[in-house]
Amino acid sequence: MERIYIFDTTLRDGEQSPGASMDVDQKYEFALQLARLGTDVIEAGFPISSPQQFKACKVISEKVKGPTIAALARAVKKDIDAANESTKDAEKRRIHTFIATSPIHMKYKLKMDPDDVVKMAVDAVKYARNLVPEVEFSPEDGTRSELQFLIRIIEKVIDAGASIINIPDTVGYTIPREFGAFIKAIIEGVPNMDKAILSVHCHNDLGLAVANSIEAIQNGARQVEVTINGIGERAGNAALEELVMALNVRKDFLPYETGIDTTQIYNTSRFLSSIIGFPIPRNKPIVGDNAFSHESGIHQDGVLKKRETYEIMTPQSVGRDASTLVLGRHSGMHGFSKRLKELGLSLEKEELDKAYKQFLEIADRKKEVFDDDLYVIVSDQLGHKTAKYVLDYFNIQSGNMAVPTATVRILEDNEKHEEAAVGDGPVDAVFNAIDRITGIKTKLLEYSVQAVTPGRKAIGEVSVSLEIDGKKFVGRGSSTDIIEASARAYVNALNRYAAFLESKEELKEAKV
Ligand code: KIV
Ligand code: ZN
């Protein structure tokens, strides 16, 4: 079995999904989970792009042990310095530097001659290699670059010290057989390719990211860049869970192994979804609600007679036996914190106490608390830690003969503000009251409600997407009360907007 290295870029490319921003604490907690999952490399961020990104890389480098911590840098000194500085406390680290190599990017975006691009790439790799032991180089828009030019630049950056060469399908343009042949041609054409590992980074614009990555592996790639739930720029990146399970299930055809503990897949997927507020589509392979449910009578009958008739892997193999009842009010703090630990969720004392309080409230309301509820509680607490706005109180008057009216109290930087408003329905009234308090002009783009766990007393998870100042901000909130969940989701999106404004401010100060 040959080893395939899993490079997870959920915290970097994944976070580039519109609306998927995470704060430093959330990134740190998620990086701990990625380490438990067994990823070989965690790309923690793009440190030059904002002080928050820098800090996330720094905290992850200091505290997350096991995987190599990578930081992204354009092929310029100031980016490489930031990548170096932010990862200096990591156990193992890597600088990942890139420059575009396709004719269209070089001509219109970089406005540079190919020879200058080669020089810049070589200088950047040399500079980075003097700072850290491991340098990865990516020719951006690799699949639309000319093969001979790629071969030339790759040979030169390997000579300059790069030991990982990553070929990105930046715009998700390639198709499997073409990509496989391209990878083979690079491996055969670069004279010193034996001195580096070839990696691929596939985007999913045509829904082919996982297929392209597998084709590349079969043609010699030994590192794949992936994200949890396939999040990432535009249509996203290759999904870790799909790629890893394809390798696992089809070992007969794909004789490769990874370091991933597949039983951590479901946890990791749920945890990400609750942090960023992107619901997982029901039909999503491996982690969607329907991925292991059998609806038709013929299928059910078959599965009962022999599971393998309609199931190619077990739910347990991806850690999906977790949604069973685990806790109730009487589990106490000990049972609660023990289960969090088992799920790989860690909180510091103050947040743990608050989370326990929230757990007791939920246990009182619905008696049975599921693992999925615990993810919601933990991500709520992580979100609250740095929140500018906190929902303190709300009251609704509504009915089929009444004008829906809401009174809402919000803590803004710990100061109480209260307003009342009417709306088309109770949720609209709450949103209007919040708008009056914050004075922020918002446009509601999307609103969805999903039950997190089974039963009539399930926690409802609301996701909203707001347009503010022309940008999209996603928010997530949960409660056994849908109106409360909606208010929390709305406030959560406003907090992401506030964090965005703050990081813009920090960036301005940093540049001065
Ligand atoms: O898609 C891309 O080209 C990237 C590179 C920075 C690797 O994300
Ligand atoms: Zn990318």
Side-chain angles (χ1 to χ4, degrees), residues 12-13 201 203 237:
R12 198 278 298 167
D13 211 323
H201 174 111
H203 278 272
N237 292 63

Side-chain angles (χ1 to χ4, degrees), residues 457-469:
K457 292 180 179 167
I459 287 197
E461 194 166 72
V462 171
S463 297
V464 297
S465 162
L466 305 182
E467 189 183 298
I468 310 175
D469 290 346

Side-chain angles (χ1 to χ4, degrees), residues 2 21-22 29-30 33 38-39 62-63 76 90 125 144 167 182 188 193 204 206 212 293 323 391 401 411 422 448 502:
E2 279 206 58
S21 62
M22 301 175 226
E29 289 296 334
F30 190 69
Q33 179 57 28
T39 54
E62 279 164 10
K63 298 191 185 167
V76 291
V125 169
R144 293 194 300 168
I167 308 298
F182 197 61
E188 287 172 357
M193 198 63 228
N204 206 28
L206 294 173
N212 285 333
S293 44
S323 272
L391 176 71
M401 297 297 205
L411 302 179
V422 293
S448 72
E502 201 175 303

Side-chain angles (χ1 to χ4, degrees), residues 193-458:
M193 198 63 228
D194 59 318
K195 299 202 171 59
I197 291 177
L198 195 109
S199 165
V200 292
H201 174 111
C202 296
H203 278 272
N204 206 28
D205 299 64
L206 294 173
L208 293 171
V210 171
N212 285 333
S213 305
I214 291 174
E215 193 69 32
I217 290 173
Q218 289 180 284
N219 282 282
R222 289 295 172 264
Q223 174 180 283
V224 279
E225 302 200 351
V226 287
T227 60
I228 299 296
N229 298 341
I231 67 168
E233 189 79 40
R234 303 180 314 280
N237 292 63
L240 179 147
E241 62 278 6
E242 293 173 24
L243 183 106
V244 167
M245 289 317 286
L247 296 183
N248 265 32
V249 170
R250 295 307 310 274
K251 274 205 170 74
D252 56 329
F253 200 70
L254 302 166
Y256 309 103
E257 61 182 10
T258 68
I260 296 294
D261 172 0
T262 62
T263 63
Q264 288 291 327
I265 283 180
Y266 188 62
N267 276 354
T268 315
S269 160
R270 292 294 322 177
F271 191 27
L272 178 69
S273 157
S274 52
I275 292 175
I276 61 175
F278 284 17
I280 299 170
R282 284 186 182 276
N283 63 336
K284 171 97 175 62
I286 320 292
V287 291
D289 280 355
N290 293 353
F292 291 89
S293 44
H294 305 278
E295 184 65 22
S296 110
I298 296 174
H299 287 209
Q300 287 179 357
D301 179 55
V303 170
L304 288 174
K305 286 176 177 149
K306 183 136 180 90
R307 188 189 57 77
E308 287 85 348
T309 50
Y310 287 100
E311 267 184 14
I312 58 169
M313 59 194 139
T314 62
Q316 290 78 11
S317 66
V318 294
R320 289 193 65 148
D321 50 354
S323 272
T324 49
L325 167 69
V326 281
L327 299 174
R329 172 169 253 289
H330 299 296
S331 309
M333 176 56 134
H334 179 69
F336 173 70
S337 52
K338 183 164 168 277
R339 187 61 192 156
L340 289 191
K341 264 207 194 101
E342 284 164 2
L343 291 174
L345 302 170
S346 53
L347 285 175
E348 277 161 24
K349 176 87 180 81
E350 197 182 329
E351 280 80 44
L352 184 66
D353 289 342
K354 287 189 197 151
Y356 182 58
K357 211 169 139 229
Q358 192 180 348
F359 161 74
L360 290 179
E361 282 164 15
I362 291 172
D364 276 346
R365 285 200 224 170
K366 55 185 232 129
K367 309 284 182 272
E368 302 172 332
V369 181
F370 295 83
D371 286 347
D372 280 347
D373 298 324
L374 300 183
Y375 286 115
V376 169
I377 294 173
V378 168
S379 63
D380 271 359
Q381 292 309 326
L382 288 173
H384 284 169
K385 230 170 133 179
T386 48
K388 178 174 177 70
Y389 304 107
V390 176
L391 176 71
D392 190 35
Y393 157 94
F394 76 96
N395 183 282
I396 290 292
Q397 312 254 305
S398 191
N400 63 348
M401 297 297 205
V403 178
T405 311
T407 309
V408 179
R409 189 162 63 225
I410 297 275
L411 302 179
E412 182 178 342
D413 295 325
N414 285 326
E415 217 176 89
K416 287 183 183 168
H417 299 273
E418 195 168 302
E419 279 288 351
V422 293
D424 288 340
V427 171
D428 188 43
V430 166
F431 291 177
N432 288 339
I434 296 173
D435 284 350
R436 284 191 166 195
I437 293 172
T438 61
I440 300 171
K441 275 218 160 336
T442 65
K443 182 171 162 201
L444 185 65
L445 300 176
E446 285 163 43
Y447 173 89
S448 72
V449 191
Q450 199 175 343
V452 175
T453 43
R456 290 175 65 167
K457 292 180 179 167

Side-chain angles (χ1 to χ4, degrees), residues 24-54:
V24 174
D25 292 313
Q26 290 169 330
K27 283 188 179 173
Y28 163 57
E29 289 296 334
F30 190 69
L32 286 175
Q33 179 57 28
L34 288 175
R36 273 185 291 267
L37 177 67
T39 54
D40 297 292
V41 185
I42 296 175
E43 188 163 49
F46 187 10
I48 194 72
S49 67
S50 77
Q52 280 194 329
Q53 292 255 352
F54 184 94

